[in-house]
């Protein structure tokens, strides 16, 4: 039985009842990419983006801004060939003065845009996040 019985194929949602290990196992079972970024040590937008870039193996020239993040989640990946789907976990996104509610929402909007991009191509892109 699929772990994602009630989870749409293209969504950005709180991790809630899911455990990271279960999500990783489900990605393996489905043959999808599992992308995981643990962001608890980050304090700023640049640090959050650097952690994501390193965890997701973005190119060295990654610009550490939201536009570059969007490009890496869509164009670069799409150009690398057929994709089996994605399960993304952003754990412990910070709640700091330099990464506030507005910055978190903007980050999640970039992932929502990527989910829409992949939905148009009929490829699953599920993002689960948690806050500190």
């Amino acid at each position: 039985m699929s772990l994602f019985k009630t989870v749409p194929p293209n969504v950005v949602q709180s991790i809630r009842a899911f455990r990271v290990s279960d999500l990783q196992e489900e990605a393996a079972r489905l043959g999808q990419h599992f992308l995981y970024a643990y962001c608890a040590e980050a304090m700023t937008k640049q640090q959050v983006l650097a952690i994501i870039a390193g965890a997701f193996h973005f190119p060295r020239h990654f610009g550490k801004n939201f536009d570059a993040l969007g490009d890496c989640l869509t164009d670069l990946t799409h150009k690398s060939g057929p994709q089996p789907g994605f399960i993304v976990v952003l754990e412990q996104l910070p709640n700091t003065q330099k990464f506030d509610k507005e910055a978190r929402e903007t980050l999640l909007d970039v992932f929502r845009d990527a989910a829409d991009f992949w939905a148009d191509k009929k490829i699953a892109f599920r993002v689960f996040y948690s806050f500190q």
Side-chain angles (χ1 to χ4, degrees), residues 1-87:
M1 181 162 82
S2 174
L3 185 64
F4 297 141
K5 182 174 56 178
T6 60
V7 179
N10 298 82
V11 66
V12 177
Q13 70 174 45
S14 169
I15 198 165
R16 288 191 300 257
F18 292 105
R19 291 188 4 234
V20 173
S21 58
D22 292 341
L23 294 170
Q24 188 171 15
E25 287 171 17
E26 188 69 358
R29 191 183 72 73
L30 295 171
Q32 296 182 355
H33 297 292
F34 180 75
L35 303 174
Y36 175 81
Y38 183 74
C39 300
E41 301 300 315
M43 301 292 285
T44 67
K45 175 179 100 171
Q46 285 72 24
Q47 290 170 340
V48 169
L49 291 172
I51 288 169
I52 291 170
F56 295 4
H57 304 288
F58 288 166
R60 285 190 189 279
H61 65 269
F62 173 68
K64 292 189 188 70
N65 62 59
F66 291 129
D67 289 338
L69 175 63
D71 290 346
C72 285
L73 292 172
T74 56
D75 295 351
L76 287 178
T77 307
H78 178 60
K79 289 175 183 165
S80 69
Q83 298 297 328
F86 302 85
I87 296 173

